[in-house]
Amino acid sequence: GIFITFFIKAHQMQELDKKWNSLEPDRKTFATLSSEYNIFSQEALAIKDIVSRRVLWAEKLNKLSLDLPSGVWFNDISLSGANFKLSGSAVSVQNEEIKLINKFLDNLKNDPQFYAGFNDLELGPMQRKALAGYEVVDFTLSGTLNENK
């Protein structure tokens, strides 16, 4: 009884080994495809991340425009690494340029869609000048972004 069972099991094991060996080319193909899929998946995630950042900046630029009080305009906007810089000017017939600039900064800081991803956003030095018979105040806003945004 035991020997018969042993021979049957040994025969079944040989058959399974033959099947396993016959599947070797398919296993190699699967491993190659799996490896290629993982590479493409990583590339797809990287592209998705880049696209999400671009959309984020499109939204932020739109919010900059929407949060801009009348009488304030941009001269330059730049981003270098995590450093954000905006230079602009303000004019007011009521001589409230500083108030307009502070309102703009408050609008940005209180706008969750714009301010998301910023560590800080600060007003730099301001400079008054005459332009076409009006007093204009030039200003700079600077901030740093979280590295992952």
Side-chain angles (χ1 to χ4, degrees):
I2 292 179
F3 290 113
I4 295 174
T5 304
F6 175 76
F7 285 118
I8 292 173
K9 293 294 183 191
H11 180 68
Q12 288 174 341
M13 184 66 131
Q14 286 177 344
E15 291 298 315
L16 289 174
D17 277 342
K18 286 180 188 176
K19 282 185 180 179
W20 179 255
N21 290 333
S22 72
L23 293 174
E24 181 67 22
D26 291 337
R27 285 196 322 258
K28 286 181 179 178
T29 301
F30 175 77
T32 301
L33 292 174
S34 180
S35 174
E36 289 174 1
Y37 173 78
N38 288 336
I39 291 169
F40 288 129
S41 290
Q42 291 170 356
E43 289 174 359
L45 287 174
I47 290 169
K48 183 178 179 182
D49 183 48
I50 290 167
V51 169
S52 72
R53 289 181 192 194
R54 182 178 68 191
V55 170
L56 178 67
W57 275 106
E59 290 174 6
K60 286 192 183 306
L61 290 173
N62 185 48
K63 294 308 265 178
L64 276 172
S65 174
L66 294 173
D67 291 336
L68 189 65
S70 181
V72 179
W73 66 91
F74 307 135
N75 298 318
D76 185 55
I77 300 172
S78 63
L79 181 65
S80 177
N83 297 314
F84 171 80
K85 184 177 177 185
L86 180 147
S87 62
S89 300
V91 66
S92 169
V93 291
Q94 294 90 11
N95 292 325
E96 295 182 339
E97 298 88 1
I98 305 298
K99 186 177 178 181
L100 289 173
I101 294 167
N102 284 325
K103 179 181 179 185
F104 177 53
L105 178 58
D106 288 343
N107 288 349
L108 294 177
K109 284 187 170 184
N110 292 320
D111 185 332
Q113 288 178 320
F114 177 80
Y115 200 66
F118 276 92
N119 289 323
D120 60 7
L121 188 60
E122 302 297 329
L123 183 60
M126 294 181 269
Q127 182 177 353
R128 286 192 180 273
K129 67 181 181 183
L131 182 66
Y134 293 96
E135 277 204 15
V136 175
V137 175
D138 291 333
F139 67 94
T140 303
L141 295 179
S142 58
T144 56
L145 296 163
N146 295 331
E147 290 297 324
N148 59 356
K149 295 288 177 186

